[in-house]
Amino acid sequence: MTLASVLLSLSPSFVGSVAAHTDTLLAGAAENLFTPAMEQSDDWQPTVYEDLYARSLVLSDGRNYLAIITADHFMQGFDESEMMRRVVNRATGIPPNDIFINFSHTHNSMLPGERWRKEAQVSTAELDIPYDEWLGREGRELDPFVQWWFCHLAEATKRAKDNLRPAELGVGRAPVQIGYNRRSIRDGVCVMAENPNGAVVPWTDVLGVYSKDTGRCDAKNRIAVMFTHAAHPVIVHFGGWPNPDYSKPAIGPDFPGYAVKHLRNLLTADDQQSGVLMFAQACGANINGFPLRGGIGACEVAGLSLAFATRNAIDNRAVITPGVLRNRQSTLSLPYKLPPVEQVKKWLSEDPESGNLKHLLEVSESGVRKYLELPMTAYAIGNDLVILMLPGEMFCEYQLHADAVSSFPHTIVLGYINGSVSYVATAKDYELPDLTGGHGVSPNSAYLPLEPETEGMIKDGIAKLLNDLKADCG
């Protein structure tokens, strides 16, 4: 038995009966603004250039659920996301394993801290929801801002579920590229710069949800639109433009927020009801929105391009035949590299302040190999559509692979699902020598680098997951 076969753990979780059938799909959507007002001080002058939102789409076949939450937020760890899903479960009754949080990964979102607590407590009082009941014992011990943030997502998801109604789905894809592969080899070292020849995902996948309450499934009865793209939201970036000063942080959603704004304007101009518009981040770990740190104007342009493509996909959508919700889950145990102790000491001598190298030295000296547990879930909606959920910062090659091997007529891939602890690159990236691998891959810039063989394990795992789910659908 090979190492890959030992470490590849496929544990299917099948939802629904193969024999079951439904002619009706139920859907609901809602959104919550979660930008707290901020007090400025002499040493801290934040600027909100666009509001942050949490948006929820809930689908059901009458017995099983799929809840997708999109959030204008940087990222969380797996443990925090697991707690958040329990909060949403208490608010909605939807099983935690059927709740998926997609982070847009905007580099201008808020993080918990003393500066947010006062406003978070005020904002909490404005929502008439049972915080204590939803948070549970462990949640009541969290920072007030985190409590407020968790419950905003839960409240939006509850309203979406409470408003479930008969619906029809439409799926479309349109070409668009608003970023570039950001890994360029210069003088033998991988640097963060535009690589015109590097891999990208040059499209948006769009899922339109339409109410059947009136018997008409058209733009006048749109419940929601979820549209995807694979690119880091870093066109404004951290301190913001034109003042990249960390004492003057920019708060906002970057290009995803502008895409939503422009899409709403386009649909309104066409006399269409927009519904809840949701940007979902795909596998953009090695793609930067262009131009990096380009500012608000560049964000407007990128957002408008994505909005036009999304509208084109909406106009050319294919109707999805309703059916049972089914899923398959798989967890891969991916081995981290365990380089020789002397090699790590040499690297650390060249970069003595690297916290990642210090951690790698501890792991190397222990002699105990560590693994990244990578959970993956695929949901089939009837026989025509599959949505693949991948955690964390996956390189775009994995999305391209899933699209190529899927036997479903329509495949949507989401990244940044339910948190992250590291980048997940490809073999050619991990095989770069010494400290030349670049951001998120090199031992001095990654939590721990993975073994090159993990690319094959992931691609095989994705193919098996999708093939098994397709077999379930009959």
Side-chain angles (χ1 to χ4, degrees):
M1 183 175 292
T2 66
L3 175 62
S5 64
V6 172
L7 297 176
L8 180 60
S9 170
L10 290 171
S11 304
S13 172
F14 178 53
V15 177
S17 166
V18 175
H21 179 72
T22 178
D23 293 321
T24 302
L25 187 72
L26 305 175
E31 66 180 19
N32 261 340
L33 183 150
F34 69 91
T35 313
M38 279 141 313
E39 296 181 358
Q40 297 196 359
S41 63
D42 291 340
D43 66 335
W44 197 61
Q45 301 175 24
T47 298
V48 176
Y49 61 87
E50 287 289 334
D51 281 318
L52 305 174
Y53 282 86
R55 299 177 170 102
S56 296
L57 172 65
V58 176
L59 303 176
S60 175
D61 60 10
R63 181 175 61 181
N64 309 301
Y65 290 95
L66 168 59
I68 299 176
I69 303 169
T70 62
D72 293 326
H73 199 52
F74 180 74
M75 184 64 79
Q76 289 181 171
F78 288 135
D79 290 344
E80 286 180 308
S81 294
E82 180 61 29
M83 185 179 296
M84 180 182 285
R85 292 199 291 168
R86 290 199 296 270
V87 173
V88 176
N89 163 253
R90 294 185 187 112
T92 64
I94 299 173
N97 285 342
D98 297 329
I99 299 167
F100 300 90
I101 306 159
N102 174 268
F103 298 93
S104 76
H105 201 52
T106 171
H107 282 40
N108 296 138
S109 65
M110 302 169 295
L111 297 176
E114 188 65 37
R115 298 184 188 276
W116 310 107
R117 289 181 180 175
K118 178 179 179 182
E119 188 58 36
Q121 290 170 326
V122 172
S123 299
T124 298
E126 295 174 355
L127 283 179
D128 183 21
I129 57 179
Y131 267 73
D132 286 350
E133 177 185 337
W134 291 0
L135 288 168
R137 179 183 57 78
E138 72 275 23
R140 288 192 290 271
E141 299 174 357
L142 295 172
D143 181 284
F145 174 79
V146 179
Q147 294 180 1
W148 175 77
W149 151 244
F150 279 16
C151 287
H152 264 61
L153 267 68
E155 197 273 340
T157 309
K158 183 178 187 302
R159 282 191 287 116
K161 179 174 180 282
D162 289 347
N163 198 31
L164 286 174
R165 53 197 188 275
E168 177 182 274
L169 301 183
V171 176
R173 174 176 290 183
V176 64
Q177 182 181 344
I178 64 170
Y180 285 94
N181 187 291
R182 70 184 197 178
R183 293 178 57 78
S184 181
I185 303 297
R186 299 183 180 178
D187 297 325
V189 178
C190 185
V191 298
M192 188 176 291
E194 293 84 12
N195 177 7
N197 299 315
V200 294
V201 181
W203 66 70
T204 177
D205 283 315
V206 179
L207 177 66
V209 186
Y210 303 86
S211 172
K212 296 176 67 174
D213 283 345
T214 63
R216 296 171 51 202
C217 300
D218 56 24
K220 298 291 185 181
N221 297 284
R222 185 179 287 116
I223 296 172
V225 174
M226 183 182 76
F227 62 102
T228 76
H229 196 56
H232 262 69
V234 291
I235 298 178
V236 175
H237 203 264
F238 290 121
W241 179 91
N243 298 308
D245 179 350
Y246 284 83
S247 68
K248 299 177 181 179
I251 305 299
D254 209 271
F255 76 78
Y258 286 97
V260 168
K261 182 177 73 172
H262 287 307
L263 180 59
R264 182 172 289 111
N265 291 339
L266 289 173
L267 297 177
T268 300
D270 291 341
D271 194 28
Q272 297 185 25
Q273 179 175 309
S274 65
V276 176
L277 304 180
M278 309 170 60
F279 170 83
Q281 184 63 259
C283 298
N286 53 341
I287 304 172
N288 271 351
F290 182 84
L292 175 65
R293 298 184 180 92
I296 303 299
C299 256
E300 289 269 10
V301 172
L304 184 59
S305 296
L306 184 52
F308 268 114
T310 300
R311 189 184 67 173
N312 289 340
I314 292 172
D315 291 343
N316 296 286
R317 66 187 182 273
V319 175
I320 297 300
T321 303
V324 175
L325 294 181
R326 300 174 171 89
N327 79 29
R328 281 260 177 177
Q329 298 176 347
S330 165
T331 297
L332 308 180
S333 293
L334 306 177
Y336 287 115
K337 282 186 177 179
L338 193 63
V341 173
E342 292 307 314
Q343 176 67 73
V344 182
K345 287 182 177 179
K346 178 179 178 296
W347 290 338
L348 194 55
S349 69
E350 298 169 0
D351 189 1
E353 301 302 317
S354 172
N356 288 307
L357 287 179
K358 292 176 182 177
H359 176 58
L360 182 57
L361 180 60
E362 293 177 2
V363 175
S364 183
E365 289 178 331
S366 74
V368 178
R369 184 178 291 277
K370 290 183 176 291
Y371 299 88
L372 172 63
E373 299 299 314
L374 193 81
M376 307 184 299
T377 304
Y379 262 84
I381 302 173
N383 297 326
D384 297 334
L385 171 63
V386 65
I387 303 177
L388 175 62
M389 321 277 191
L390 300 175
E393 302 211 48
M394 305 286 294
F395 275 33
C396 69
E397 285 87 344
Y398 295 111
Q399 180 173 355
L400 296 171
H401 173 76
D403 192 74
V405 301
S406 175
S407 56
F408 286 85
H410 303 281
T411 301
I412 296 175
V413 182
L414 304 183
Y416 296 82
I417 290 290
N418 294 339
S420 176
V421 294
S422 67
Y423 283 84
V424 180
T426 64
K428 71 180 189 310
D429 303 296
Y430 290 124
E431 288 170 348
L432 290 170
D434 294 325
L435 302 180
T436 64
H439 180 69
V441 176
S442 177
N444 62 344
S445 69
Y447 167 72
L448 286 174
L450 293 165
E451 292 283 7
E453 70 190 71
T454 57
E455 177 181 353
M457 296 171 63
I458 296 168
K459 287 184 174 179
D460 289 347
I462 288 173
K464 186 176 191 316
L465 182 66
L466 295 177
N467 287 337
D468 287 350
L469 183 57
K470 185 63 175 178
D472 291 339
C473 295

